[in-house]
Amino acid sequence: SDCWASGSSDSITSSGSESDGHLYKVILLGERGVGKTSLARIFGGVEDGPEAEAAGNTYDRSIVVDGEEASLMVFDIWEQDESQWLSNHCMKMGDAYVIVYSVTDKVSFEKASELRIQLRRARQSEDIPIILVGNKSDLVRSREVSVDEGRACAVVFDCKFIETSAALHHNVQDLFEGIVRQIRLRKDSKED
Ligand code: GDP
């Protein structure tokens, strides 16, 4: 299920925002309950207790990827039915998107496809990085979406794919490193 080669396990640093000067906005999308907040909090390094509550729903952190620092601002603000304004805003503001479903919930997987279509519509001619994430890979017995189905969906939707387990911290770091690489790839090709 590992779609990316694993990086070193401790390259997430909590150093401020000294980097190439860019702060990349990453938006988490997906049904309620699929694990967006859990993934965001692992990224932010604020999993439990008052720290987690104080963090609100945006997580700002610098990570070192391939020897270079990058700053990400991760937004866990998606609520599909809350307000039309908010969903439109989410679809417009991101530099990259993480579309999360739960491998134990087929409906959330179908929802992920809808979100991909919505995103394509909102950002028509833009080539924004999108990662499809099948979370809760630890729940083997209640799995409803296979790795192959997830991967096939990502091929159809022309985006990256990874399975994660927020519960086991499996692949969570790879996910965020992958986002940085995707952003850089596009930036580099624009500069050439
Ligand atoms: P959100 O609504 O998408 O933000 O989802 P949450 O992060 O609040 O997670 C919903 C529930 O699923 C919580 O009870 C989490 O503890 C649980 N959960 C999240 N990720 C995982 C995972 O990878 N494995 C398991 N077993 N449970 C998870």
Side-chain angles (χ1 to χ4, degrees), residues 30-39 76 135-139 164-168:
E31 280 269 89
R32 186 166 300 156
V34 296
K36 298 182 297 301
T37 303
S38 307
L39 292 168
D76 176 30
N135 187 45
K136 307 198 186 182
S137 62
D138 58 291
L139 298 176
T164 57
S165 165
L168 302 179

Side-chain angles (χ1 to χ4, degrees), residues 109-185:
F109 181 59
E110 284 155 10
K111 189 72 202 176
S113 299
E114 280 174 39
L115 287 167
R116 175 68 185 93
I117 291 164
Q118 235 177 296
L119 195 52
R120 177 181 285 167
R121 212 175 281 141
R123 305 288 289 269
Q124 299 221 0
S125 53
E126 294 171 73
D127 179 26
I128 6 162
I130 299 172
I131 324 280
L132 181 66
V133 176
N135 187 45
K136 307 198 186 182
S137 62
D138 58 291
L139 298 176
V140 179
R141 285 163 178 273
S142 40
R143 186 185 273 271
E144 291 183 359
V145 184
S146 72
V147 182
D148 286 341
E149 284 175 284
R151 204 175 277 139
C153 182
V155 170
V156 169
F157 285 114
D158 191 26
C159 62
K160 287 281 172 186
F161 172 68
I162 193 167
E163 279 200 352
T164 57
S165 165
L168 302 179
H169 286 211
H170 182 245
N171 271 351
V172 178
Q173 187 174 318
D174 292 52
L175 162 61
F176 289 99
E177 289 180 4
I179 291 164
V180 171
R181 291 199 181 97
Q182 288 301 307
I183 291 170
R184 283 183 184 157
L185 273 174

